[in-house]
Amino acid sequence: MVHHQPAEGSGPVGRAAQGRAGRFTAHGLQRGRAGARAAMQRNHRRGTWTVRRRLTLFFILAFLISWLIWPLTLLNPQSSPMAPFGPAVAAVAVTLLSEGQDGLLRLVRQLGRWRIPGRWYLAAIGLPCLMVALSAALTVAGGAPARDLAPNPGWLMLIGTFASTLVIVGLFEELGWRGYALPLLQRNHTALGAALLLGVVWALWHLPELASDPTGQRPPVPFLLMVIAQSVLLAWIYNGTAASRVGRRASEQNAIGSVPLCMVFHAMFNTAGAVVFPAFAGPDYLTLWWTLALLHVLAALVVIAFAGPWRLARTLDTRPLHGIT
């Protein structure tokens, strides 16, 4: 007698196993589809964050956070009218909202871009020192008495001033202005246009310091002119260091500039100013500031002529719809 073997999966045990496998498979498919729908919803929400929306929210938060303590100067005129960390906090907040943790990691990783060709360190350190020193020399050449920079602050004091300024001013401002806002602006504008727009916003951001400064340390008109021109110089450093990375790695995906070099430029300018500006207190102080502002404008014009207004970088390839990112 021939015995027929039951077909695989027949019988109570096989049917039960198939049923469980089917349920597990269906459950896995449902979970996969749910995860895909959730991912699509997240991507859709992030996709609604246009460049204009991101920049608008960033600028509003940067101003609000920084200006929050301004009314306190009514109680204590000697207190600082601004919180310097506004741009950095705003950049972190908007990045988290619009791009999530991955976007935040990309933003913060810019702070690790220290491996830059030496010529850019020379520019970031030497150019602000040169402009401050040259403005002092031209002010003296124009008739101001020669100034003694004594008391000599000493190297340790200078290093301490630079280090503290690198964090309090450089990090808190540049992560927001150059690390976040500048690349977004350059998606829809030329590099020069983006730098000028950001320079105007950056200059207006200093309004509490200009309005609540009883000592007149920052004459408003030359200060605002200098800040706008300095924005062009910082955009040149940011884009130029991005171009260096593209040239070295041959990949436009790496076209992200060096925020640390922008921090160094910013901190070096403030440190040099802290040494030179107090020595010119008096009738020649305004002359010093106008000279410094015009030197910044001249340096910005040289950079524009050298690097070009479209990119502010000699080798970086920029596509109109992609921008420098």
Side-chain angles (χ1 to χ4, degrees):
M1 179 181 294
V2 178
H3 296 279
H4 296 281
Q5 297 294 331
E8 185 178 354
S10 64
V13 176
R15 287 192 295 271
Q18 284 184 340
R20 287 193 297 269
R23 287 194 299 272
F24 290 151
T25 302
H27 182 64
L29 288 174
Q30 289 176 353
R31 291 183 61 184
R33 290 169 183 168
R37 284 195 299 269
M40 291 177 62
Q41 289 174 355
R42 288 195 299 269
N43 291 334
H44 176 71
R45 286 196 301 270
R46 293 172 185 173
T48 61
W49 284 83
T50 63
V51 170
R52 177 175 295 182
R53 183 181 179 188
R54 295 179 191 181
L55 286 170
T56 300
L57 182 57
F58 165 74
F59 289 137
I60 290 174
L61 286 178
F63 276 68
L64 285 178
I65 295 171
S66 298
W67 289 13
L68 192 61
I69 63 174
W70 191 4
L72 297 179
T73 57
L74 297 176
L75 302 176
N76 181 11
Q78 302 302 321
S79 62
S80 174
M82 293 180 63
F85 49 78
V89 174
V92 169
V94 178
T95 301
L96 270 176
L97 288 172
S98 60
E99 302 178 57
Q101 293 183 354
D102 292 340
L104 181 60
L105 285 176
R106 287 193 296 270
L107 175 69
V108 174
R109 281 174 185 159
Q110 293 189 70
L111 298 176
R113 299 193 185 279
W114 291 95
R115 298 181 62 182
I116 303 297
R119 66 181 182 275
W120 289 108
Y121 278 93
L122 181 62
I125 295 173
L127 185 57
C129 292
L130 176 63
M131 288 190 293
V132 171
L134 190 57
S135 64
L138 290 175
T139 302
V140 171
R147 303 291 181 166
D148 185 5
L149 298 182
N152 191 331
W155 285 106
L156 289 178
M157 182 64 70
L158 286 176
I159 293 174
T161 302
F162 174 80
S164 61
T165 307
L166 188 68
V167 175
I168 297 174
V169 176
L171 173 61
F172 289 156
E173 290 193 39
E174 295 307 324
L175 182 63
W177 301 134
R178 254 56 62 173
Y180 184 76
L182 181 63
L184 287 178
L185 283 168
Q186 290 184 134
R187 292 187 181 184
N188 297 322
H189 301 85
T190 65
L192 177 59
L196 292 175
L197 285 172
L198 184 58
V200 172
V201 174
W202 188 27
L204 294 176
W205 178 77
H206 289 87
L207 181 60
E209 291 183 334
L210 301 178
S212 302
D213 182 12
T215 62
Q217 293 182 2
R218 298 175 181 85
V221 177
F223 177 80
L224 296 176
L225 181 63
M226 183 207 70
V227 168
I228 295 172
Q230 196 173 98
S231 180
V232 175
L233 299 178
L234 286 166
W236 167 64
I237 290 177
Y238 185 87
N239 290 347
T241 52
S244 299
R245 292 179 62 82
V246 171
R248 186 170 68 252
R249 298 190 179 186
S251 172
E252 192 177 340
Q253 293 179 352
N254 295 305
I256 298 176
S258 174
V259 171
L261 262 290
C262 296
M263 292 165 50
V264 169
F265 182 104
H266 201 153
M268 187 57 66
F269 172 78
N270 284 28
T271 302
V275 174
V276 173
F277 292 167
F280 283 83
D284 301 310
Y285 191 72
L286 185 59
T287 302
L288 174 70
W289 264 101
W290 271 110
T291 305
L292 184 63
L294 294 177
L295 284 176
H296 271 79
V297 172
L298 178 61
L301 291 174
V302 171
V303 163
I304 295 168
F306 174 77
W310 289 95
R311 303 180 180 93
L312 290 179
R314 293 297 297 269
T315 60
L316 192 60
D317 184 21
T318 308
R319 294 192 288 270
L321 297 180
H322 180 70
I324 300 172
T325 58

